[in-house]
């Protein structure tokens, strides 16, 4: 909505400027009327069924017109929406074409035939799609959606690390900027970090920037891991003490955690894995009660298709993921904003690291 208001303010004023970038190439669409009509109520009723466990009926008339018009415009523009597992349920269930963890989203971006990708996730995810699909138009509804891990290291830092450890291969978690990906040998996600590290056939590997993911990988392999001091501001807030209290209150509770959590948290977990692996574990194990040690929206999204499972949610929100909201997604499709642009030289170098990961056979 913010962008819509800004655009309206600019129309007819001296600030109105010619369209640039993606808006010039694809044109701007009329901003839709967001009334909750009977047609919209009927068209979105099946979607509401999937989110009714987390969105009260009184709130649906606010979301439904956005969901309806986003889906309509997506079809008109031939766009595809990729959404991370941490997106809110109205995005995850309402407008996404593909949902998944970082690896799945990168693989789907690479395979997609759509000319336009709207990335509902944080900036590094949209950059990864652009790196893999240089000829496509990649939009992110809020380019301010960052990540504490991506912000923890620069390309210059990686060059210094390489100087300090000559000959040691460098693996970058995908939660990094394109500039960092351009400096490393290969990327990894939390889903394939162990396989990527072992694929290099080296005794020692630098795995950056997440100190906790690196520590967890070191427990899963004989390869010596050198790391950086980055951390995820969401997962580092969980504590082992907090989890022990949950287990004491109910010894039957199952605890599953993301590898970005500190070691004392992972020591309490029955399973550790990427967001997609956590979801698979819930479907395979069908626990009576499960505590998901990760971002809040995950449990909301999984609960919809896992009836009978009691989800305990020690809720830590990712403020960056939560910048992506329905009104901004609608703005993206109306105004073709905000386009992800990467320096072609950096993108070409970064592509080698990301493609090497995507094509890795485990
Ligand atoms: P996944 O690749 O497991 O989805 O993790 C991405 C992320 O940002 C977790 O905080
Ligand atoms: Fe980054 Fe953590 Fe948010 Fe994931 S949850 S995007 S690692 S800040």
């Amino acid at each position: 909505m913010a962008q819509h208001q800004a655009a309206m303010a600019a129309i007819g004023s001296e600030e109105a400027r010619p369209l640039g970038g993606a808006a010039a190439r694809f044109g701007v669409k009329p901003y839709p009327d967001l009334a909750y009509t009977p047609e919209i109520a009927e068209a979105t009723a099946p979607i509401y069924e999937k989110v009714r466990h987390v969105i009260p009926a009184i709130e649906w008339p606010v979301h439904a017109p956005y969901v309806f018009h986003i889906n309509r415009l997506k079809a008109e523009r031939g766009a595809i929406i990729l959404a991370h597992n941490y997106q809110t349920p109205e995005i995850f269930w309402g407008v996404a074409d593909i949902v998944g963890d970082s690896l799945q989203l990168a693989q789907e971006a690479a395979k997609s035939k759509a000319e336009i990708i709207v990335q509902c996730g944080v900036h590094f995810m949209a950059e990864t799609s652009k790196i893999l699909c240089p000829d496509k138009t990649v939009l992110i509804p809020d380019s301010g959606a960052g990540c504490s891990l991506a912000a923890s290291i620069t390309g210059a830092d990686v060059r210094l690390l390489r100087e300090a450890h000559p000959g040691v291969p460098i693996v970058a978690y995908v939660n990094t900027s394109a500039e960092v990906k351009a400096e490393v040998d290969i990327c990894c996600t939390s889903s394939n970090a162990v396989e990527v590290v072992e694929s290099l056939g080296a005794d020692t590997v630098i795995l950056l920037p997440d100190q906790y993911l690196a520590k967890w990988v070191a427990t899963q392999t004989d390869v010596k891991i050198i790391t950086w001091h980055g951390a995820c501001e969401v997962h580092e807030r969980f504590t082992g003490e907090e989890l022990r209290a949950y287990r004491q209150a109910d010894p039957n509770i199952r605890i599953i955690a993301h590898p970005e959590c500190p070691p004392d948290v992972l020591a309490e977990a029955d399973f550790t894995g990427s967001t997609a692996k956590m979801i698979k574990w819930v479907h395979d194990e069908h626990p009576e009660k499960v505590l998901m040690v990760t971002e809040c929206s995950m449990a909301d999204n999984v609960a919809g298709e896992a009836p009978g499972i009691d989800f305990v949610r020690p809720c830590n929100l990712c403020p960056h993921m939560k910048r992506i909201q329905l009104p901004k997604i609608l703005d993206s499709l109306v105004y073709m904003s905000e386009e992800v642009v990467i320096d072609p030289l950096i993108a070409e170098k970064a592509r080698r690291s990301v493609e090497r990961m995507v094509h890795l056979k485990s």
Side-chain angles (χ1 to χ4, degrees):
M1 185 62 92
Q3 174 152 359
H4 174 57
Q5 281 162 351
M8 294 306 286
I11 289 170
S13 78
E14 286 179 10
E15 284 174 44
R17 271 172 269 150
L19 296 176
R25 294 197 303 283
F26 294 95
V28 166
K29 297 274 187 183
Y31 197 84
D33 176 0
L34 293 168
Y36 184 57
T37 62
E39 182 203 1
I40 290 181
E42 195 187 329
T44 59
I47 297 174
Y48 184 63
E49 282 309 304
K50 294 182 186 157
V51 295
R52 63 179 318 138
H53 64 290
V54 273
I55 301 181
I58 199 167
E59 283 179 21
W60 190 240
V62 177
H63 295 305
Y66 286 103
V67 168
F68 178 85
H69 290 293
I70 287 168
N71 286 326
R72 178 182 59 76
L73 281 171
K74 194 174 69 175
E76 273 178 41
R77 291 213 184 261
I80 187 173
I81 295 186
L82 304 185
H84 185 261
N85 291 325
Y86 293 163
Q87 291 295 289
T88 49
E90 67 276 12
I91 296 174
F92 186 93
W93 290 108
V95 300
D97 297 288
I98 305 283
V99 293
D101 67 3
S102 308
L103 180 63
Q104 291 169 324
L105 296 182
Q107 288 167 331
E108 291 299 331
K111 273 194 255 162
S112 167
K113 300 254 180 296
E115 208 181 339
I116 299 167
I117 293 176
V118 181
Q119 192 92 26
C120 294
V122 291
H123 195 259
F124 76 79
M125 295 178 177
E127 268 194 344
T128 306
S129 289
K130 183 67 185 174
I131 288 166
L132 286 170
C133 313
D135 300 330
K136 292 189 197 300
T137 296
V138 178
L139 305 175
I140 179 161
D142 186 333
S143 60
C147 169
S148 64
L149 282 169
S152 73
I153 189 160
T154 64
D157 292 328
V158 182
R159 287 193 290 277
L160 287 175
L161 271 173
R162 213 185 266 289
E163 262 175 48
H165 303 276
V168 177
I170 306 184
V171 180
Y173 193 26
V174 281
N175 298 37
T176 44
S177 64
E179 187 204 18
V180 165
K181 290 182 174 82
E183 295 292 339
V184 303
D185 299 294
I186 186 167
C187 289
C188 75
T189 71
S190 58
S191 185
N192 61 13
V194 177
E195 290 91 324
V196 168
V197 162
E198 293 190 338
S199 76
L200 298 168
D203 299 339
T204 306
V205 164
I206 297 171
L207 173 53
L208 52 83
D210 185 354
Q211 56 181 302
Y212 296 129
L213 176 74
K215 280 188 181 136
W216 176 73
V217 170
T219 67
Q220 309 291 306
T221 179
D222 292 333
V223 179
K224 182 176 173 230
I225 307 288
I226 298 172
T227 190
W228 186 249
H229 50 70
C232 161
E233 68 187 80
V234 177
H235 290 93
E236 74 173 345
R237 294 212 302 271
F238 293 107
T239 64
E241 195 185 341
E242 175 185 12
L243 301 191
R244 283 190 290 279
Y246 279 107
R247 225 192 264 284
Q248 232 169 22
D250 182 353
N252 290 326
I253 198 166
R254 309 294 301 278
I255 299 179
I256 62 175
H258 196 277
E260 289 170 8
C261 295
D264 66 322
V265 170
L266 298 184
E268 299 299 328
D270 299 304
F271 174 77
T272 298
S274 75
T275 56
K277 287 188 176 173
M278 290 168 88
I279 295 173
K280 184 173 181 314
W281 185 94
V282 168
H283 289 309
D284 291 350
E285 299 288 321
H286 208 83
E288 243 170 69
K289 193 176 199 174
V290 63
L291 190 153
M292 289 189 129
V293 192
T294 191
E295 211 268 350
C296 306
S297 291
M298 268 275 287
D300 290 345
N301 291 332
V302 192
E305 48 175 19
I309 299 180
D310 182 4
F311 287 89
V312 182
R313 306 158 202 215
C315 201
N316 282 348
L317 269 178
C318 173
H320 312 289
M321 288 280 179
K322 265 50 211 181
R323 289 177 81 124
I324 308 298
Q325 296 151 8
L326 290 175
K328 295 182 192 169
I329 302 172
L330 181 62
D331 278 354
S332 283
L333 287 161
V334 169
Y335 303 109
M336 295 302 294
S337 59
E338 304 178 31
E339 186 174 10
V340 176
V341 181
I342 308 174
D343 177 316
L345 288 178
I346 290 178
E348 196 188 315
K349 285 172 79 185
R351 193 169 309 121
R352 274 181 248 149
S353 312
V354 181
E355 281 186 343
R356 194 170 167 196
M357 168 191 80
V358 170
H359 296 137
L360 191 78
K361 299 272 175 283
S362 54

